[in-house]
Amino acid sequence: MNPNRRQFLKSSAAAGLSATTLATTFSSHAKAQKAQPHVVVVGAGWGGATCAKYLRLWDPGIRVTLIEPNPHFTSCPMSNWVVGGFQDFDYLVKRYDNLPKYGIQMVRDTVTGVDGAGQMVHTQGGRKIHYDRLVLAPGMEFMTENVEGYAEGAQARKVMHAFKAGPETLLLRKQLEAMPDGGVFIIASPPPPGRCVSGPYERACVAAHYFKQHKPRSKIIMLDGHIDVVSKGPMFKAAWKELYPGMIEHRPNNLAVAFDHRTMTVSSEFEDVKGDVVNIIPLQRAPGLCKDAGVRNDALDRWCTVDFTTYESTSVPRVHVIGDPVMSNMPKSAHVSNNQAKICAAAIIELLHDRQPEAVPVIGSTSYSVTSDKTSGSIAVVMRYDPVKKVYQRQPEGGANAKHSELEFEYGRSWHENMWADTLG
Amino acid sequence: MFKETTLTMALLTGMAASPMAQAADAANADTRTRLLAATCNNCHGPGGQSLGAAPSLAGQDRAYLQTAMMECKTGVRETTVMRKYMLGYTDEEIAKLADYFAAQK
């Protein structure tokens, strides 16, 4: 709510103005906003859908509009199952049908601009939507320009990131199926921060699982921009050795900087590697929408800095950012996006009622990576906000398990069912 | 043994909470506990009603919930991720989480 208007309402009340007088003082539009504040959420992924749902669950007095261009939800977690051939693509796709049951107004449109001063969102469909609070949950975009030749290669369908679940997930699966036995599959991944740091290592596992059964002479070369297998490292390395000996070669400190699709050659600063199937996951940043809105505000123009108790932008008042675009020491994962969404929703409710938001929020982060069609390994960390240091502190003994297991596979599948239900159900 | 129990509980209670029921339950908890408990939903299902192998928490006996969580924390109970989780919460928070989930329908 506009502070000036709030001030005016308070002074009006103090002056003993009747409700009737107030009603005639303000336009019906303004009156409706006073009666029912409006929160607009952009992006119905793990963060945005959760935020919209919990806003309505916890305060049915708030009007919530959720803007999303896609007709269905497609899950990035488990998309490696499709790459490995464990599941059909349809397994990843869920409907948005339940969200309107919470009183969320779903708008299928693309947000093209944010007017922070005017508290207005503009869409491709020509809508202009006023908000009292705005939540941006648009995921991330790839800095494909950092890999010379990537755009041409992608156009020729010779390279893909397959790191936003969708057509590229299937493209990668089809290329692995078409690859001859004895072929080379290159996975080039960036250093953090970026989405799902363990995803590339899991991808190596599912591809190796498939090759082992159908193309056992094939090889996987990982060109890793990071210094080591830092996420779940001991677990992945043990699983590779146990299940796929000699098949996966991990080359750290080897960020891909160029790709020539005519020769199928990936170049890092140190070497050129030729592959039959090439998967390059470029560096990422908060999407252009965040930049346009003025909330992509870190020194490198990559991420959005926020107040960690409310997820409100440090640059633009009343605009909150959750999920991948947030600059923090938290993993960029579905689990974290969902948890940030709840903290943000709870804070917005308090702010709209002129109360103090929770000062010490707690975030949980769990992620499961499959190592085969029967085994998984997990990481679990609790992070608690430290209001003095203004950072989320990892709690003792959080981290990854050193061994994968069939039990973790069951819990991983359970995690996914419950995450879906919590976010969309 | 633990795995069998959790799987059975999941089967017995494997139903999604209705939106109205969730809203009514949520309104009765203090906001901090409600927010802490919402973190549990990711693995234990919305409102603590699990759809998978992770155990449902909703409507369980309060003392049982608290004991189970404390046993995870101290390592008496063998777990995959729960010890790491419980070490991140104070004993008082665990008691409140037990109150919260015992009160869920």
Side-chain angles (χ1 to χ4, degrees), chain B:
Chain B
M1 172 61 198
F2 180 50
K3 188 188 170 189
E4 275 175 24
T5 316
T6 60
L7 284 170
T8 313
M9 285 196 292
L11 285 173
L12 287 172
T13 55
M15 291 181 298
S18 77
M20 293 310 290
Q22 281 185 60
D25 292 338
N28 294 327
D30 74 84
T31 53
R32 177 166 173 81
T33 303
R34 191 173 72 178
L35 184 56
L36 283 176
T39 306
C40 309
N41 293 356
N42 298 44
C43 295
H44 292 277
Q49 299 202 23
S50 176
L51 301 167
S56 281
L57 308 174
Q60 299 278 358
D61 178 73
R62 197 211 152 275
Y64 168 75
L65 283 173
Q66 187 176 13
T67 304
M69 284 190 274
M70 289 306 294
E71 285 178 357
C72 290
K73 186 172 187 172
T74 55
V76 169
R77 202 180 266 245
E78 200 176 319
T79 65
T80 53
V81 302
M82 274 303 288
R83 178 150 194 266
K84 295 167 192 171
Y85 262 92
M86 290 298 93
L87 283 166
Y89 294 84
T90 66
D91 293 357
E92 291 72 28
E93 286 169 342
I94 287 172
K96 285 192 168 183
L97 287 171
D99 288 340
Y100 179 89
F101 282 109
Q104 303 302 302
K105 297 287 179 276

